[in-house]
Amino acid sequence: MIAEEVMQFLVLASLIITAYLSIKFKDLIACAISLGIFSFLLSLEYYILQAPDVAIAEAGIGAGLTTAIFILAIRGTERREVEE
Amino acid sequence: MRKLLIIASIAIFIAFFLYVAINPGDFGKPAGRHLVFGYPKYTDMDDYFITHGQIFSAANNIVTSIVFDFRGYDTLGEATVLFAAVMGIASVLRKLRRDEE
Amino acid sequence: MKMSKIVRTQSGFLYPFILIFGLYIVIHGHLTPGGGFQGGAVIATGFALVVVAYEYKDVRKWITANRLSLAEVTGLLAFIITAYLGLGSTFFRNWLANSGSIFGSRVPPGINPGNLNTGGVLPVMNLAVGLEVLGGLGVIIVYMLNYLKRGEESAG
């Protein structure tokens, strides 16, 4: 029981850290990878909360497909974020 | 002033989610009283699905039997939404190609 | 733009396993967690991995937008037709369950290890929705890649 709560707090803290990093990075590919890690940790959190269906959907779409789509979009545009 | 408002709203948000994370409710027990979102006071539909789902749709996975059998209209709408999204993307990107040619 | 050799080798090694795992999720949708939507998304992830890692002209032979949209339309039509076939009583009637024919075995009540030959129309609908989601999400990626390729050609 204690291990589960410690795991949950670790996952939630990592969620906040990756969400902050994904808006803080200037390299947009690093942002996309950080967002993928965010989705993966979110699917882990769903699995801890006993929702395996949603966990599979989140891991497939969030961590796999949107990362690929973001990388394709970054390929077509600029890689670095420019200061205005 | 604006920064203060932002910090206050973020603090309230984080405090709310920390409260929910510390008291996650009784998962797995029927009609958990400590769940923050929604008190499952009336559980007639849940009990009906749980007791009859395995017999009516002859499947072990009750989630799938609800998604595709009892609530099939929802899945039909979801499939239609996905189809409409793909159709929109195809129309946008195809128009650009025709302009170039 | 080409990815590095490490990425290409590893994705070439990994994508058959991803496709088989997605097919497993789709087929066992009525026994284990998962289903058509999740399995189709996993299969589309495998396609996306190949398409992102390799150049598009290497995979253009067998991942085409026409085939993927054909898969999507076929899946949606099969889903709706399967729902219409239950119109003897109601729309979305599970007309194959407990009938004794294909996918029609009787399931014992309570906790049991599960049998693949059960579920009625649920496996059929899982396959249809899996085909539809795989085609839809794949077609988005292929269209984006086509647009990207045209931009690179006009720029360079």
Side-chain angles (χ1 to χ4, degrees), chain A residues 53 56-57 60-61 65 72 75-76, chain C residues 34 38 45 52 137 141 145 148:
Chain A
D53 280 282
I56 294 174
I61 293 182
L65 269 174
L72 281 180
R75 252 198 221 178
Chain C
Q38 288 92 346
T45 304
V52 169
L137 296 179
I141 290 173
L145 208 73
L148 193 66

Side-chain angles (χ1 to χ4, degrees), chain B:
Chain B
M1 184 62 198
R2 192 158 165 262
K3 205 164 253 183
L4 204 72
L5 268 180
I6 291 175
I7 290 176
S9 59
I10 288 178
I12 290 174
F13 210 62
I14 288 179
F16 178 68
F17 274 107
L18 274 183
Y19 173 70
V20 176
I22 289 170
N23 303 314
D26 301 330
F27 280 105
K29 293 178 189 168
R33 284 181 297 108
H34 302 103
L35 208 59
V36 177
F37 299 112
Y39 292 80
K41 213 173 190 177
Y42 306 103
T43 58
D44 298 342
M45 285 307 273
D46 307 354
D47 295 340
Y48 179 78
F49 287 149
I50 290 170
T51 51
H52 291 84
Q54 203 178 18
I55 304 165
F56 279 171
S57 64
N60 281 340
N61 191 355
I62 289 189
V63 176
T64 305
S65 77
I66 286 175
V67 164
F68 284 104
D69 195 356
F70 292 114
R71 295 277 184 267
Y73 284 101
D74 281 350
T75 312
L76 184 62
E78 173 202 307
T80 315
V81 163
L82 185 69
F83 189 77
V86 170
M87 217 156 58
I89 288 177
S91 65
V92 166
L93 294 183
R94 255 192 198 154
K95 190 153 182 295
L96 287 169
R97 180 169 64 191
R98 200 164 290 160
D99 281 349
E100 280 180 9
E101 286 170 358

